Amino acid sequence: MNELIFFVNKVLISGATLGSVYALGAVGVTLIFGILRFAHFAHGDMMTLGAFVAFMLVAVFQSLGIQTPLPTGFIVLPFAMAITAGLALGIDRGFYQPLRAKGVKTVTLLIASVGVTLMMQGVIRLFAGTGTRSFFENETKDLYRFKLPIEGVRRSINFSEPQILVIVTTVIAVIALHFFLTRSRLGKGMRAMADNPSLAQVSGINTAAVVRATWIIAGSLAAMAGTLLALDVILKPDLAFNILLPIFAAAVVGGLGHSYGAIAGGFLIGFAETMSVFNWAVLLRPFKAGLPDWLPNDLSIVPSEYKLTVAFVILVLVLLVRPQGIFKGAST
Amino acid sequence: MIRRDAILFAGLGVLILALAVWLKVPTTIQLLVTASAYALIALGLNVQWGYAGLFNVGVMGFLMVGGASVVFVSYPLNDAFWSSDGPFMLLKAIIAAIAGGLLIWGVTRIPKTGSLKKVRGFLLVVAWAVAYVVYRSQIDPAAVLIEEKAGFVGGLGLHPLFGWAAGGVMAGIIAYVIGKICLGLRSDYLAIATIGISEIIRALIKNMDWLTRGTLTVSPIPWPTPLPADIAAAGMDDATMSVILARSGFLAVTVILIAVIFFFLQRAYNGPWGRMMRAIRDNHVAAGAIGKNVTKRELEIFVLGAILMGIGGAILATYVQILDPSGYQPINHTFIVWVMIIVGGAGNNWGALFGAVFIYIVWTISEPASLVLFSMISDLSEGAGIGAIPDIESRALQMRVFVLGLVITFALRYAPQGMIPERVRTDD
Amino acid sequence: MSLLEVKDVEGGYGGAPILNGVNMAIDREDIGVIVGPNGAGKSTTLKAIFGLLEVTAGSIVMDGHEVANQLPDKLVPLGLSFVPQEFNVFTEMTVHENLEMGAYIRNDDISDTLDYVYEMFPPLKDKRKQNAGELSGGQRQMVAMGRALMSQPKLLLLDEPSAGLSPRYMMEIFETVVNVNKSGVGILMVEQNARQALEFATKGFVLAGGNNRYTGTGRELLDDPEVAQSFLGG
């Protein structure tokens, strides 16, 4: 039983947290792909940028002496999202829109996003340096323990405060996004443009407004994902680069351009990662007496140094078997 | 070549001469050797992107494969390894890998139609799982033993030129596998897959201590030409002169290599093969419709480009004589190559060559230059009472990353053809 | 002054011009039908009116406004609506949502227009919760026309509405076109099935080589032996 709780803590809770962050990032990637038809390589850095914006806002709040019951990094989230959305709009206006106006191929936009990612990395490190930071330098990270009322159970199910916030916020964001895409006029316009851009134009849909809405949503979700990830783990400038691959894998698994697929893909990759590095031998410990000797102590599927491989292998499998994504047809 | 190009190359020559005066000759030759390795890499990327429009953002991975290959092939034999059980256990692991591969291959031979088609997918998954478990069960103890008894496997002690060739071959094999999966899909998928594979190669080389010593690094990798110490031992009294001679020898090898490769690339580009590749790049559908096997041609070219990158990566590691996995960064090893060919002129080998040497020089001298610039700004801000800039060295370096990104986006917008644009001969 | 006046329009996709002086005038009561051989510039004329390719000379006046080279999001509010020949529905959206997208520019209550469209195309009412991609070719054409009517246009541009449909569906679509016209919407359509279409056309335009060859009522063109021989297959 203790081993099972260890499994819940290490795989289910961590997987849900990681999956939430991936889902938020992947939705942004997939929306941008749906509307503008290119894989936005700067998305990882947009997340990092959002997290750093939040970090600076926290510094401002704390210097003003504002005390909050929840972590300040979470309280400033709406402001960080708004600022990052504004930055995303500015980046589009400055670097992508002029290229679109020239009618370039979408792969040129892809290269431009590589250029943008470098610029963002440079700016972030220029101002923030290369060191790591924590949102909890002046606050405590609360840990919630849930004891199960079962005889002989010593371990408790542990949630950290950021983990709860990540999961709850993601659920709220996903529901809000769902209503936006299915109920609001602009949201339906976004779906229409992703579905058939020329018909959307012919219908009189203001495509420029749809593009702006896309950047606002993608930028604010990126800020949300980056800040929540930094709250849960740590804030560092190369946060983004390690997360880019899982996010793209999630978006591809869900079918590029399909928002619901991206969310499912995010959780799939999150759980796959935590399950792959989990040492399954732990679950066998209670039966140790009956097990053969040759069984090694470490039964994780991949060593944790190779965690990145998990997302990649899933990505490759999907590209081989169903490049249009495994959820295509099941959702819009 | 057109007059403007000649002027650009002449300008580059003047820049190099100025560097020779400013940085002294040995440093300039060193810079040129590295630039020549990058030139080869840029030619590789130009083949992939400029000829065929294949978007590869995993250049770093291919360079690391080249570096690791030259270590394995050319580093001296490690007696501790060969006298231990290591070779035997590795042999077992290799046999396990082959057996697993055969099992998977066998399952893929099951016809997609017929009575077994429903279980085919399931059997394939099982076969992969079995193969993986069998391989891990052999390689894990072997890795532990080798690291304990011998540190790492060492090399084969062959001449570095064999190591370079091996680097090209290994990079080509990896490119073949990636290309087989991703070519024929949207270019975005290739981009994602290449960035993924390069990060995974970095993780592997960093962590497979038994093969590469990981972060402990391997050195010294032998040179194909005499080292400065060898020349000094042969009777050269002037230390500077022996350095110059040794580096010039190395440079001569790389320059000859580039000249040969360049000659063949130019011929191929202007021949029927090049015309076909441009046709495929510019219009997939039409090229397919006239009976060209688009995906297969693209696979060839992706592998060819990767081979050049692998050789270039091997040269880079050989010259500095050390394989340090932590020294590889996407910025220094992938994106800078992109800047080289975008600025130089994608699709034109002369452009790639020019861009590689020019951007590498700019990149190198921008380190001291940005430091000077930042010190000036810092002095100004201190004078203005705002205070000096903290951590000035690391910040100045980050500024270069920003400029690199800015150059890419501006080049795309204002000079998408590059400084030496692609010119298609129509009068032959 | 007619509702739509096309005068001496020239234009193309940047290369050699495809239109070399096209003239047309359509009123709200009209059903205009453009016929002509392949490559005559029939669909190109519609696209030029709708701002989808560059007009290099001439004028296009809609309801008193000069609209040459205006983008669709300016034209739809003026009362112009366009049904492309292909890819003319949002396949991953429901029929209902497709119609809503047609009314994107409107800020008023659209329920009356929805009723009108469902009345015009009864089969759509039962399928309004289905994705348009799941419908048959004929039903998709209805969705496409319904979508275009949702903006309450004064003039509807149809690019080969019967393309790829069976003869039965073709007649059904033509009947609908006449009904739509009776409800007060002008029609300008390109049609391959020239004879059937000219039967109900109030204005017919024979295009060849990018300019008008013959202009008249549908009946006049059908009765003109020269037109019949050269363009209607004898």
Side-chain angles (χ1 to χ4, degrees):
Chain A
M1 199 60 211
N2 285 317
E3 287 74 17
L4 209 60
I5 291 175
F6 185 69
F7 173 79
V8 169
N9 285 341
K10 278 280 172 194
V11 173
L12 296 187
I13 296 177
S14 305
T17 314
L18 206 55
S20 300
V21 172
Y22 291 166
L24 291 176
V27 166
V29 166
T30 221
L31 283 177
I32 295 171
F33 186 89
I35 302 295
L36 299 167
R37 302 270 142 201
F38 75 102
H40 186 230
F41 262 70
H43 212 71
D45 274 299
M46 201 169 263
M47 287 168 62
T48 320
L49 188 72
F52 271 100
V53 168
F55 191 80
M56 283 186 233
L57 289 174
V58 167
V60 172
F61 266 53
Q62 285 176 347
S63 70
L64 294 175
I66 301 173
Q67 294 285 333
T68 52
L70 289 166
T72 317
F74 182 74
I75 299 295
V76 299
L77 200 52
F79 304 101
M81 285 164 69
I83 293 172
T84 314
L87 291 171
L89 277 178
I91 289 169
D92 182 56
R93 180 64 57 84
F95 300 104
Y96 301 134
Q97 202 213 344
L99 290 174
R100 283 201 304 276
K102 280 171 68 176
V104 297
K105 288 187 195 164
T106 54
V107 69
T108 307
L109 291 169
L110 185 62
I111 306 177
S113 78
V114 169
V116 167
T117 208
L118 295 182
M119 288 163 64
M120 283 161 81
Q121 272 177 23
V123 168
I124 290 169
R125 288 170 199 204
L126 185 65
F127 287 105
T130 48
T132 54
R133 288 148 200 274
S134 167
F135 271 98
F136 293 95
E137 270 154 16
N138 303 317
E139 295 176 31
T140 50
K141 204 184 231 180
D142 295 330
L143 196 64
Y144 300 101
R145 295 168 193 281
F146 298 96
K147 281 270 184 199
L148 291 184
I150 302 175
E151 197 74 18
V153 173
R154 281 165 292 114
R155 279 183 187 278
S156 53
I157 293 179
N158 296 340
F159 278 97
S160 75
E161 196 176 14
Q163 283 178 326
I164 297 178
L165 292 176
V166 171
I167 296 169
V168 170
T169 315
T170 304
V171 170
I172 294 171
V174 166
I175 293 173
L177 184 72
H178 169 75
F179 279 108
F180 173 74
L181 288 176
T182 53
R183 302 289 159 85
S184 79
R185 172 149 59 163
L186 192 57
K188 286 182 200 172
M190 274 176 76
R191 284 169 53 213
M193 194 168 157
D195 188 333
N196 188 336
S198 58
L199 187 63
Q201 195 192 16
V202 162
S203 301
I205 292 174
N206 184 342
T207 50
V210 170
V211 169
R212 280 197 297 275
T214 308
W215 283 111
I216 289 172
I217 294 171
S220 44
L221 288 182
M224 186 188 267
T227 310
L228 292 173
L229 180 67
L231 277 170
D232 183 36
V233 192
I234 200 124
L235 180 60
K236 50 181 182 184
D238 47 3
L239 191 78
F241 217 75
N242 301 325
I243 209 175
L244 196 63
L245 188 63
I247 285 178
F248 273 110
V252 171
V253 166
L256 274 177
H258 294 80
S259 312
Y260 302 112
I263 293 160
F267 282 101
L268 190 133
I269 302 274
F271 285 120
E273 282 191 352
T274 53
M275 288 207 284
S276 303
V277 298
F278 181 70
N279 182 5
W280 295 88
V282 170
L283 288 186
L284 296 175
R285 242 173 241 163
F287 320 105
K288 195 151 186 134
L291 290 176
D293 290 339
W294 51 261
L295 208 67
N297 287 328
D298 186 353
L299 275 185
S300 56
I301 298 171
V302 288
S304 56
E305 308 94 84
Y306 301 129
K307 200 174 169 187
L308 205 62
T309 336
V310 178
F312 184 75
V313 167
I314 295 175
L315 172 77
V316 164
L317 276 180
V318 172
L319 289 184
L320 277 174
V321 184
R322 267 183 84 96
Q324 70 275 42
I326 56 179
F327 298 104
K328 170 98 175 174
S331 62
T332 45
Chain B
M1 238 193 331
I2 294 179
R3 221 175 106 207
R4 203 175 75 112
D5 302 358
I7 293 171
L8 281 172
F9 272 98
L12 194 62
V14 172
L15 181 64
I16 292 169
L17 287 178
L19 284 178
V21 175
W22 180 37
L23 299 170
K24 304 291 177 286
V25 177
T27 316
T28 309
I29 301 177
Q30 168 158 329
L31 204 145
L32 286 177
V33 172
T34 320
S36 68
Y38 271 105
L40 205 53
I41 297 161
L43 283 174
L45 187 62
N46 189 39
V47 165
Q48 293 181 340
W49 168 247
Y51 285 20
L54 304 176
F55 194 70
N56 177 0
V57 268
V59 180
M60 179 186 80
F62 296 110
L63 303 192
M64 290 189 83
V65 167
S69 302
V70 77
V71 166
F72 181 70
V73 172
S74 305
Y75 196 74
L77 292 169
N78 182 354
D79 292 330
F81 165 69
W82 291 102
S83 59
S84 71
D85 277 346
F88 175 63
M89 295 184 76
L90 267 190
L91 186 69
K92 283 205 296 182
I94 291 170
I95 292 172
I98 293 173
L102 283 177
L103 178 67
I104 295 164
W105 180 79
V107 174
T108 57
R109 303 306 293 168
I110 296 175
K112 282 185 183 169
T113 53
S115 55
L116 282 172
K117 70 172 178 193
K118 284 204 176 119
V119 288
R120 188 177 180 274
F122 174 72
L123 284 178
L124 206 54
V125 172
V126 172
W128 272 100
V130 169
Y132 180 68
V133 168
V134 169
Y135 172 70
R136 279 284 302 274
S137 72
Q138 296 304 314
I139 194 72
D140 285 0
V144 170
L145 178 108
I146 293 168
E147 280 167 30
E148 220 168 70
K149 292 271 163 68
F152 80 124
V153 297
L156 299 176
L158 297 174
H159 192 273
L161 288 181
F162 289 107
W164 295 3
V169 170
M170 286 307 295
I173 291 172
I174 290 170
Y176 180 82
V177 176
I178 292 285
K180 202 79 184 146
I181 296 170
C182 299
L183 293 174
L185 298 171
R186 277 185 68 100
S187 50
D188 305 71
Y189 293 110
L190 183 64
I192 298 165
T194 48
I195 210 165
I197 196 77
S198 84
E199 289 301 315
I200 283 166
I201 289 171
R202 181 159 68 160
L204 285 171
I205 291 180
K206 223 175 193 167
N207 293 303
M208 285 167 78
D209 287 10
W210 62 274
L211 183 62
T212 63
R213 265 169 62 103
T215 44
L216 296 172
T217 73
V218 182
S219 71
I221 303 169
W223 274 19
T225 52
L227 286 160
D230 300 333
I231 293 179
M236 171 60 68
D237 296 330
D238 186 347
T240 317
M241 203 56 206
S242 55
V243 169
I244 292 177
L245 278 178
R247 288 179 178 176
S248 304
F250 197 110
L251 182 62
V253 175
T254 58
V255 167
I256 291 170
L257 194 61
I258 289 178
V260 171
I261 289 173
F262 192 88
F263 173 74
F264 283 111
L265 282 181
Q266 276 303 85
R267 285 208 36 174
Y269 181 72
N270 289 320
W273 182 81
R275 274 199 295 279
M276 177 183 65
M277 289 318 303
R278 286 193 297 276
I280 289 175
R281 175 192 65 189
D282 295 336
N283 196 335
H284 259 266
V285 182
I290 56 170
K292 304 292 178 196
N293 188 337
V294 172
T295 312
K296 199 165 170 213
R297 294 286 91 77
E298 286 185 338
L299 187 59
E300 280 171 16
I301 213 156
F302 192 62
V303 170
L304 173 64
I307 290 173
L308 297 183
M309 290 174 191
I311 297 174
I315 296 175
L316 279 181
T318 309
Y319 181 72
V320 295
Q321 296 199 285
I322 184 169
L323 180 72
D324 176 12
S326 343
Y328 284 89
Q329 295 295 334
I331 290 166
N332 301 19
H333 294 94
T334 295
F335 298 127
I336 195 166
V337 187
W338 270 98
V339 176
M340 286 167 180
I341 67 160
I342 289 174
V343 170
N348 187 329
N349 288 325
W350 291 106
L353 207 58
F354 177 85
V357 178
F358 178 67
I359 292 293
Y360 187 74
I361 290 173
V362 171
W363 177 252
T364 314
I365 60 177
S366 72
E367 186 169 344
S370 55
L371 197 58
V372 170
L373 183 73
F374 264 65
S375 306
M376 276 162 60
I377 298 174
S378 178
D379 291 346
L380 273 178
S381 68
E382 207 169 4
I386 311 167
I389 304 174
D391 314 327
I392 201 157
E393 282 90 359
S394 71
R395 278 169 207 260
L397 283 184
Q398 295 311 325
M399 201 56 207
R400 298 197 301 168
V401 179
F402 177 81
V403 172
L404 214 58
L406 199 68
V407 169
I408 292 185
T409 47
F410 269 59
L412 288 178
R413 187 157 158 194
Y414 297 108
Q417 303 291 314
M419 292 171 85
I420 303 180
E422 179 177 12
R423 292 186 197 94
V424 178
R425 274 204 315 212
T426 48
D427 55 348
D428 57 351
Chain C
M1 189 82 185
S2 296
L3 179 64
L4 176 78
E5 294 209 13
V6 177
K7 271 207 188 100
D8 303 322
V9 162
E10 294 175 18
Y13 296 98
I18 299 170
L19 305 180
N20 303 304
V22 173
N23 290 285
M24 270 166 209
I26 295 287
D27 274 307
R28 216 165 167 157
E29 310 65 68
D30 282 329
I31 298 180
V33 174
I34 308 175
V35 298
N38 285 332
K42 305 186 297 288
S43 296
T44 313
T45 304
L46 290 194
K47 286 179 184 160
I49 296 170
F50 213 65
L52 299 175
L53 66 94
E54 201 192 344
V55 174
T56 50
S59 75
I60 301 171
V61 177
M62 171 74 196
D63 215 5
H65 300 83
E66 171 63 50
V67 296
N69 294 321
Q70 290 274 13
L71 283 177
D73 56 345
K74 297 280 183 306
L75 300 174
V76 177
L78 286 178
L80 210 53
S81 206
F82 177 52
V83 182
Q85 183 188 342
E86 289 178 302
F87 308 110
N88 52 17
V89 295
F90 298 109
T91 50
E92 292 184 17
M93 301 177 86
T94 64
V95 169
H96 185 81
E97 284 171 334
N98 264 278
L99 298 184
E100 283 182 326
M101 289 302 101
Y104 195 86
I105 50 130
R106 287 174 56 186
N107 289 315
D108 51 340
D109 184 18
I110 63 168
S111 50
D112 284 350
T113 325
L114 273 173
D115 291 342
Y116 159 76
V117 168
Y118 284 134
E119 214 169 288
M120 202 64 88
F121 307 100
L124 295 188
K125 191 154 193 179
D126 297 331
K127 309 224 173 216
R128 65 183 188 279
K129 292 249 159 77
Q130 266 188 40
N131 276 1
E134 299 164 7
L135 303 183
S136 71
Q139 288 167 340
R140 279 185 195 216
Q141 196 62 43
M142 293 181 189
V143 175
M145 283 175 66
R147 194 218 86 238
L149 288 171
M150 286 300 294
S151 61
Q152 293 181 315
K154 296 172 188 145
L155 182 64
L156 187 61
L157 308 176
L158 298 170
D159 194 355
E160 299 203 24
S162 73
L165 298 183
S166 66
R168 187 175 68 88
Y169 261 124
M170 177 186 84
M171 291 321 292
E172 219 168 282
I173 289 287
F174 284 171
E175 269 170 41
T176 316
V177 167
V178 173
N179 287 338
V180 168
N181 180 245
K182 277 185 192 145
S183 72
V185 181
I187 306 278
L188 179 59
M189 63 194 267
V190 169
E191 206 24 83
Q192 290 282 7
N193 296 307
R195 280 184 179 281
Q196 291 88 336
L198 286 174
E199 290 285 348
F200 58 82
T202 59
K203 281 184 179 158
F205 307 95
V206 179
L207 248 58
N211 56 40
N212 296 55
R213 286 295 165 82
Y214 300 93
T215 306
T217 65
R219 180 77 357 230
E220 280 167 9
L221 291 181
L222 283 171
D223 293 343
D224 186 328
E226 229 172 302
V227 172
Q229 197 176 6
S230 308
F231 299 103
L232 304 176

